[in-house]
Every structure is written in structure tokens, then in C-alpha cells.
Amino acid sequence: MIEVQGLTKRYGDFPAVRELSFAVRPGEVLGLVGPNGAGKTSTLRCLAGIIPASDGTIRIAGHELAIDPVSAKRALAFFPDEPRLFEYLTVRQHLNFVARIYGVRDHETIARPLLEEFEILDKADQLPGELSRGMKQKLAIACGLLHQPQVLFFDEPLTGLDPLGIRRMKNSIIRRARAGATIVLSSHLLHLLEEVCTHVLILKKGEKIADGTLAEVAQRFSNGESGVNLEEIFLRATGGSED
Amino acid sequence: MLGALLYLRLTSARNWAKSRLRRLRQPKYLVGAIVGCAYFYFFFFRHLGRQPTRRLPDGAVLDATHAALPTEWLPVTTALGAVGFLILLALIWLVPSQRAALGFTEAEIAFLFPAPITRRALIHFRLLSSQLRSLVGAAVMMLFSNRWAVLGGNAVTHAIGWWFIFSSLNLHFSGASFTLTRLADLGWSVWRRRLLVFAAFATVVAVSIHRLPPEAAASESHAPGDLRAITAWVVTLAETAPLAWLLVPVHAVLGPFLAIDTRHFLLALGPALGVVILHYLWVVRSAVAFEDSAIAQAQQRSARLAAWREGRSRRTATTRSRRDPFALAATGRPELAFLWKNLLSTWPYFRLRVFLVAAAILTAGCVWLHRQPTAAPFLAGVGVLAVSLGAYLLILGPQFARQDIRSDLGHADVLRVYPLRGWQIILGELLTPVCILTAVVWLTLLVGALCFWPSTTSAPWLSLPVRVTASLGLALITPALVALQLLVPNAAALLFPAWFQATRSRGGGPEVVGQRMIFVFAQIVAMALALLPAAALAAVIIAVGQWLWGTAVAVGFASVGTLVLLVGEVGGGVWFLGTRFERLDLSAEPPPSA
Ligand SMILES: Nc1ncnc2c1ncn2[C@@H]1O[C@H](COP(=O)(O)OP(=O)(O)OP(=O)(O)O)[C@@H](O)[C@H]1O
Ligand SMILES: [Mg+2]
């Protein structure tokens, strides 16, 4: 459960996110879309508590992030666009470390299927420097899923994965949402978002242009046409139409 | 094509300078810049115009013992400089074990290697970059050497002299690495090459020593520890063939720097320039040859380039996966996870097992020393030496053991997602350097306690019980002392992240120097303030307690009291840094990679 009220993020004087409000309920997958520099990463980083919001309130699983960050963070996982790993820890040591941080008791039984699913089980004793980019991303995801978070934030989760990885990632996201997780993800791969998301939020220059279920947003930008896809909606909404 | 590369170099330098200047808008950086500039002014530039004191008109300071003229120093400076230079050159040939590293950044590889640029142009680009470094190095070194009274010449000749030194070293390094790569391609193993190079150098030195005139050898029999005898011997050795032949190009390079006046300087320019030009030709030629030999291995190289591009840079060759320092249970205090993680980031010798073995060996060594009748007079000396080493480590150790938030600042965004309070992260991060430094200081304390047994007549109050409780008491407060010391640089890292990152990278402007000075000063002041109450408390407890319970017990109580106070201070510090970490706005600071 995520509730955002009037979220604003300024870098110096530059407002990267302005007065953003939305809510995501368990089982929903919100797709954050917008042109480069729209403020998607800034929003997600604020939601995960990495950078402080300049204004507004964020509630994660019932805990207000600014007041009770530890409880809020215990419930969430954040997956940055670039996997961030410790260069001196092996795959297995990463999982070991994260398990201790979150106090995950039976982490080996949780980690093993994750590594198997991501096909990095045979790399368990290698350092990040010896992994390919996609493998690093998979490791970062495995680390984040270890404590079975209820709230997940993905920044561009599908870039860098192979086709099979993309399909697994998609299925994994859908499965977790069905199991009651609350998910926000940003991506430029709109046709993939269409398959995963229940809701979309379109950002432009830090401001919300539209949000709601896919059908609602489509309705708003369809101009009476039927079967308008997300890409067309995106182009119309952000005013970047090709024609 | 070289134009584009020059443009890249110059714009990079300009943007770097610009971002530095922009940062000065923040007051904390501006203050550092002012302090740094003042430092530079007072220590270097003020002297630039002036001649060193030896040139005072009345010649009053020309004392025979310590103010000899540069001309008299010349043989010594030349010989020592040349030998030092030769050792550097030998290392250039001995040490490298990797293939010629072109020294490009990842971005340069990504942009330049796939671009239609010849290998020769790339080499020139690289030489250009190193020229920039040589110029900066020459300017900085000139500021230092300008104050060395043993030198003749002036600021300009020193700067140019340094430039010759840096340029030829740089060029030699490039040339040597290309040559070594070719040797490797011919099937020479690293150790075979090292052995041969070492044997060659050793032969030259041995033959020269053998050929030394007998007087030179005899002068060795000066009083032991007389440095003049050693320098005289080195000077004679450097003038003996075949070492003298080997040193001819070295002398040519050092000539402009060591020239005592303008005439000698101008005379020295020719040979120095000649050596640099020969080096340049060697590098460019061997680079082309390197390309030839590389064509045969094109596949290998492209695989290597691919590895580079994927980010599997050379660093992975040096970082190895290590075994867990200890078994980390899944539950328990999360702070210990940081100890576990950071121990993995450093040498694998910092383990409990190694510590115990070291303690056992040192104990055995000290016991053995006690048994030696001849060693008795040295024992106290060894003890004092060990304790001073411990004190030195306590003060300087935090600069070396930095497996804490300082090295994890680049991962701050990862740490921020963890469900931990700021103080927990700070505490966890501090544990590794605290453990490492405490262990090392404990070892020095152990040696000190085992060796420092003053005779009962000279210090009767220093009885065995007092010594034992004092040692144990010191050991008890060591972790708290170390933690307190570590808090200061960690605070610096959290309060000035961007600046802090800048001081870690090579080179630095005046604001970085100024910042370092402020930090050192702050560390001293902070330590004095933090230790004052503890020292006062200990003094009071000992003064009062020794009448009530005797000295040994009083020392014990004093240690415990001090410990409580220090732990309180460390706790406060950790808590404060924790709140700073929670409030740290990573986005307001430049990214750590910049
Ligand atoms: N640390 C920072 N300091 C200053 N400005 C920043 C910083 N990070 C981002 N910005 C600015 O904030 C705006 C939003 O950036 P953000 O990274 O959130 O965009 P995004 O929607 O994630 O873009 P993309 O699709 O390219 O990932 C951009 O204009 C960017 O220049
Ligand atoms: Mg982004």
C-alpha cells in the first residue's frame, strides 16, 4: 500500500517532481511513464527513502516514511536502473549480507530458487566484476526479494535482460502482484508495460499529466477511437506525437 | 584526428576546473579554498621571488658545517639523484605483470577504440595526457624543491628540470610496458623476465662494486651510522664503470634540474632533450610494433576490449573473492553484517586467527629476548618503541584503515534502503577499522608490556601489579580511543561528501589541500576536547584512589571510569553521525564518481 500526497522534489531550485499525489493498493501494478528527465527516477528514489522529499508525505504499508523510516523500509524493496553491488562480495556473500541486514532466517531456502530462477546459481562464488550486466541486475533483484517485501519499486527493470529474463521478470511481477504485493515500476518499454501494469501514471517535466487504470487513461486520450495502445496514448499525452 | 583528441583533453580539463569553481559557491568549499590558498602562499610562493638564505650578501650563514654551496653538493646530489632514478627505472622493468595498460578511462575506451583512429594517434593522445600530468607535477614539485638549499638554479630551471624528469619517466614507463608486452607475446613468462632483469642490474652493480678503488672501500670503516661515509661510497660507486655508463642518460635527464646556474642549465638542455626525444621515438616505434604484433592477436585483443567494454576492467584481476571472515548467522545484530562485509573488502590477513598467531609469536619472541643476557639493555628500548608505534598507529591509523562509511559513501544509496537507523549504519561501518586498529595496537601493547620492565630502583612505583593493571587498562580503553579517532574523518566524510571524494582522487587544487589541513587541525582539536575530560577523570581517580586502595587498584578503577566516559562520547558521536547520514541529501552532492 503506497499513498503519496503532494510529493515535491527540488534539486537546488530546479523542481524535478511537482506536487505529485497518487495511491497504489495491494495487487496493483503502477507503471510510471514519461519522457527522459520527467522525474521518474527522482520519484522512485524519494519513495524508497534514498533521497529526502522536499515536500509532501509518503506512506508505505501504513508507515510514514519521514517519521518511521525503518518500518517503512522493512516493507519495501528498491531496484535501481543500474544494479548497485559491492565489488568485493561474491553472489552468495551478497545474499548472506542482505539476509543479516533484514534478519531473514531461512534465507538459503529462499535464495536458492531465486538464483535458480535467474540462472545465476553456478555463479554463486563469483564477484560482480565477473558477471555480465544482466546477471548483476538479476543478483540485485534476488537481493531485494530476499526479505519478501510487500512494496516493490522497479526503475527500468526490463532493460538489460535477455528475452527469457524479460518474460520471467514480467511473470514474476504479475505473480507478486497477484499475491498481494504493491508495485510501482518505471519503463520506456510501453508494450511490455501494457502487459504488466494495471494502472499508469504519465509524468512530464515533473508533473502528473494523467493517471488511472489503463482503460481510464486510454479513454481520456482516445478521442473516441477504440483500441488505442499505450504508445499512442503516451505520445498524445506528452505532446510528442510524430505526426 | 589529433585535433579531436586535443579538444577532448582540453574540454575535459576545462569542465573539471569549472565544476570545481562552481562548488566554491558553497561556503564550506570556499573556506577550504581560502585556507588552502593561504597555505600555498605562506609555504611556497612567498619564497619564490627570494633566494634561499645561503645567498645572504654578507655570507654570514656560510657556516662550514651546514651551509655548503650547491657546487660542493653537486657530486652528492647528482649521484644520489641518479641512483634513485635508476632504482625507479629498474622497478619499471621489474614490477609490471600486466600487459601494456594504455591508461584509458572506460569512457575513452568506449568512444575512442571503436572510432576510426590509428593506434599511433591513440598513443599520441595518451602521451598528451601524461604531458598534462607532467606539467602539473613539475609545477608542484618546483614549489617544494625551490626551498631545498642544496640546489642551485632558480624556480624556472627547477620547473623545467622537473618537467624533464617527469616526462622521461612517463615515456620510459610507456616504452617499457610496450616492450614488456612484446616480450610476453614472445612467450616470456613474468618471472623469467623479472629474474633476467634483476640479474642484469645485479651484475652491473656487483661488477661496479668489485671494481671500486680500494680507498673507497676503506672509507666504509668510519664510525657506524656516519652518513657521510655512505654517501661518499655511493658517489664513488656511481662514478665507477659499468654503473657509470648506465647512469649516463640518467645524468642527462637530471642535468637541467641540478644545474647550479643558467649557463650550466643551458648546457644541460641539449642532452636532456636528446634523451626525451629518443624516448619518444622509442615509444612511438614500439607502439607501432605493438600494433603489428597485435594484428596476429586481433581476436584476443577484441575479446579483451569486449571485456573492457562490459565493465570487466583490469580491476577484477586484483580483487579476488575471499572466504568469509567468520560465519555470519542470518539473525542477530545487523551491525555485525557490516563488520563481516568490510572485512571482506580488505586484506585477508585481518582475521582472528592471524591475530592470535601474531600474539603467540610476539610473546615467544619477547620471552626469548628476556632469556638473552646480551639483549637486556635493549629490552626497555624495544618496549618503548612498541608503545610509541602503538600511539602512532592510534593517531595515524584512521587515515589508513578506512573500511568504514568513507569507502562506502559510493554505496550510500544502497545503504539508505536498508531498514536501519542512521546510527546503526555508522556503528556497523565503524566496526571494521576499530577491530583492525585495536588488534594492531593491542599487539604493540603486548610487546610493550612484555619488554618494558624498568629496574625496581629507577621507578619503584612501577611495580608488577601496576604494570599489569596499566597494560590491561590501556587495552580496555583502546577500542574506545580508536573509535573516537575514527569518528573525526568519518564526520568529515559525511559533512563534506563531495570534497571528501575529491581528496581521495589524485591531484587536488588548493581547496583540497586546505580541506586536508582543516581536517587535520579539526582532528587534533576534537581529540584534545574529547580526551580532556577522560584524562582529568583518570587523574582524579588515581590521585585519590592510590591512598585508598593502592596504585594498582586505582589504575584499574581509572581505566574503567575512562572507558565509561569514552564510550559515552563515542555513542554520542555515532548517534550524531547517524542523524547526519539520515539527513544527507545525496542528490545535493555531486555523484561520487565525478
Ligand atoms: N542529482 C541531481 N541533481 C540535479 N538535478 C538532477 C539530479 N538528478 C536528476 N536531476 C534532474 O531532475 C530531472 C528528473 O530526472 P530523473 O532522473 O528523475 O528523470 P527520469 O524520468 O528518471 O529520466 P530517464 O527516463 O532518463 O531515466 C532531470 O531534469 C534531471 O536533470
Ligand atoms: Mg530514470
Side-chain angles (χ1 to χ4, degrees), chain A residues 97-226:
Chain A
F97 174 68
V98 172
R100 174 66 171 246
I101 294 287
Y102 287 91
V104 183
R105 224 169 265 284
D106 45 354
H107 68 93
E108 257 142 39
T109 52
I110 302 174
R112 212 187 147 81
L114 279 175
L115 293 185
E116 247 163 24
E117 184 188 336
F118 289 135
E119 296 179 308
I120 46 173
L121 193 58
D122 55 330
K123 306 275 181 188
D125 287 314
Q126 300 206 353
L127 293 173
E130 299 159 318
L131 302 180
S132 75
R133 188 191 176 287
M135 290 177 186
K136 283 186 210 167
Q137 199 171 342
K138 289 171 176 175
L139 171 58
I141 293 170
C143 286
L145 294 180
L146 207 54
H147 68 286
Q148 317 214 296
Q150 309 152 31
V151 176
L152 295 98
F153 301 115
F154 293 92
D155 197 3
E156 318 254 356
L158 303 172
T159 33
L161 296 182
D162 57 26
L164 186 60
I166 290 184
R167 164 171 299 177
R168 285 194 171 145
M169 193 71 219
K170 268 185 346 199
N171 291 342
S172 168
I173 290 173
I174 293 171
R175 206 173 56 235
R176 274 165 213 284
R178 291 219 178 106
T182 314
I183 297 173
V184 178
L185 56 89
S186 84
S187 181
H188 295 296
L189 306 176
L190 299 179
H191 55 286
L192 295 175
L193 274 189
E194 260 179 325
E195 299 170 29
V196 178
C197 296
T198 57
H199 294 63
V200 279
L201 192 157
I202 303 178
L203 270 181
K204 186 182 176 186
K205 293 192 177 154
E207 276 177 298
K208 179 167 82 177
I209 295 187
D211 75 333
T213 63
L214 274 170
E216 284 165 7
V217 176
Q219 169 78 36
R220 200 178 134 190
F221 291 93
S222 63
N223 300 344
E225 302 163 43
S226 64

Side-chain angles (χ1 to χ4, degrees), chain B residues 416 491 494-495 575-585:
Chain B
R416 279 289 265 279
L494 284 177
L495 298 181
W575 177 83
F576 168 71
L577 288 190
T579 58
R580 294 303 318 171
F581 182 76
E582 281 175 13
R583 284 200 211 124
L584 182 69
D585 189 355

Side-chain angles (χ1 to χ4, degrees), chain B residues 178-253:
Chain B
F178 285 134
T179 309
L180 292 181
T181 305
R182 283 192 80 184
L183 286 182
D185 289 345
L186 289 177
W188 285 44
S189 76
V190 171
W191 281 103
R192 176 168 160 211
R193 181 251 302 168
R194 282 183 182 163
L195 215 65
L196 282 174
V197 170
F198 186 78
F201 273 103
T203 313
V204 168
V205 174
V207 171
S208 306
I209 290 178
H210 182 72
R211 296 192 61 245
L212 271 182
E215 321 79 82
S219 71
E220 252 186 312
S221 58
H222 271 289
D226 190 349
L227 272 179
R228 262 173 307 170
I230 300 171
T231 44
W233 186 78
V234 171
V235 170
T236 329
L237 182 66
E239 285 163 357
T240 311
L243 189 58
W245 303 333
L246 207 55
L247 289 177
V248 168
V250 178
H251 282 156
V253 170

Side-chain angles (χ1 to χ4, degrees), chain B residues 82-98:
Chain B
V83 169
F85 203 97
L86 192 65
I87 291 174
L88 269 183
L89 295 188
L91 290 180
I92 285 178
W93 286 95
L94 277 173
V95 174
S97 62
Q98 275 152 351

